[in-house]
Amino acid sequence: APPQKFYTGDFSTSPVVVGDPLAKQAPFAGNKIPASRLDPAAQKILGLLPVPNSIGSYDNSTGLSANNYVNQVVTQPYNNDLNARVDHNLSSANRLFARFTHYSSFTPAAPIISGVFNTGNGDSRGSDYQAVLGLTSSVTPTLILELRGSVVRDTVFQNGPSLGFNQTTSLGIQRAPFDAAPSIAITGFNTFGSQGNTWVDQANNIFQYAGSLSWVHGKHVVKAGAQFRRAQYNFFNAAANFAGLY
């Protein structure tokens, strides 16, 4: 994070001379940018950034301290599993089974920096469902029929840390492309704000049907079958700078 004086345009402690772009890069008096020349949106952005909370490593050539912000976070992820199976003998020649499996997970976010300009991911939730139904039938003592059908649904949702943030009302940025914190890139500093791969919405379905017929003849077993599988993949992943780059 930059020194707090920089937030108000005071670069008097910096060895880097700040030039006035409206005066052919002539240095500002005292290396201080007048308050009237500070961009309102930039001031609001700086007001939402955390201030340094650690000494860090000072660089004499730039007047900046690196690694001067530490954010310690405790998270509590969890996983839940459920498995159930039922076997039923319909008759001496027919056996039916059903199985249901459910898995869910929650991975809370560990913010890199606090606030809406966090560059990390948001909370992530995953959920999986699987249902299987199978039938084994002895058509004759030497002919066995097996039928099976299953469905699997897999969902993942990762919430961007600043979704819903209104740039127009909060920062004064007009014609914002999306309601989320923009990505801010300043030379000499790490980029902060919304990043790619931080907002994910995924839902996949797999349907599978299989059947086989086995014939026992003496010391030999002949088996033939078929399988049909249908997969549906629905995936949304916001690209980098989806909320704008400044």
Side-chain angles (χ1 to χ4, degrees):
Q4 284 188 271
K5 284 186 175 182
F6 288 12
Y7 286 39
T8 59
D10 184 351
F11 295 90
S12 58
T13 59
S14 173
V16 179
V17 177
V18 180
D20 185 350
L22 301 183
K24 299 182 179 180
Q25 297 300 322
F28 283 104
N31 221 24
K32 297 179 181 179
I33 302 174
S36 60
R37 298 285 299 277
L38 298 177
D39 183 79
Q43 288 298 98
K44 291 179 180 179
I45 290 172
L46 289 171
L48 294 173
L49 293 178
V51 297
N53 60 8
S54 175
I55 297 176
S57 302
Y58 186 75
D59 185 345
N60 290 320
S61 64
T62 62
L64 299 176
S65 292
N67 303 318
N68 61 354
Y69 176 76
V70 178
N71 191 30
Q72 295 181 339
V73 180
V74 177
T75 62
Q76 293 182 320
Y78 68 78
N79 298 309
N80 292 320
D81 293 277
L82 172 66
N83 290 281
R85 174 169 174 145
V86 175
D87 291 274
H88 179 60
N89 292 325
L90 300 174
S91 66
S92 59
N94 297 284
R95 184 175 182 179
L96 183 71
F97 84 90
R99 186 180 71 244
F100 175 78
T101 301
H102 173 57
Y103 168 82
S104 63
S105 65
F106 173 68
T107 305
I112 297 175
I113 62 173
S114 59
V116 296
F117 283 102
N118 171 36
T119 58
N121 298 329
D123 296 339
S124 177
R125 298 179 184 274
S127 183
D128 296 276
Y129 296 89
Q130 182 187 55
V132 183
L133 185 66
L135 172 68
T136 301
S137 178
S138 298
V139 181
T140 69
T142 60
L143 196 62
I144 300 174
L145 174 67
E146 293 178 288
L147 299 175
R148 177 174 296 191
S150 66
V151 58
V152 176
R153 180 170 176 81
D154 169 49
T155 62
V156 176
F157 180 73
Q158 182 174 278
N159 195 7
S162 65
L163 285 183
F165 179 77
N166 191 305
Q167 297 184 35
T168 302
T169 58
S170 299
L171 304 177
I173 296 177
Q174 304 299 318
R175 301 179 65 181
F178 199 84
D179 279 346
S183 183
I184 308 296
I186 303 175
T187 302
F189 295 89
N190 291 329
T191 300
F192 54 90
S194 299
Q195 305 295 310
N197 303 314
T198 58
W199 179 21
V200 177
D201 193 356
Q202 176 180 340
N204 303 326
N205 301 308
I206 298 177
F207 304 90
Q208 185 168 301
Y209 310 95
S212 66
L213 194 63
S214 300
W215 177 49
V216 181
H217 183 69
K219 297 181 179 181
H220 305 283
V221 177
V222 179
K223 186 174 184 178
Q227 182 183 85
F228 173 78
R229 180 172 180 173
R230 180 186 180 189
Q232 298 174 331
Y233 298 102
N234 304 288
F235 186 72
F236 171 81
N237 186 355
N241 308 325
F242 68 92
L245 172 64
Y246 303 97

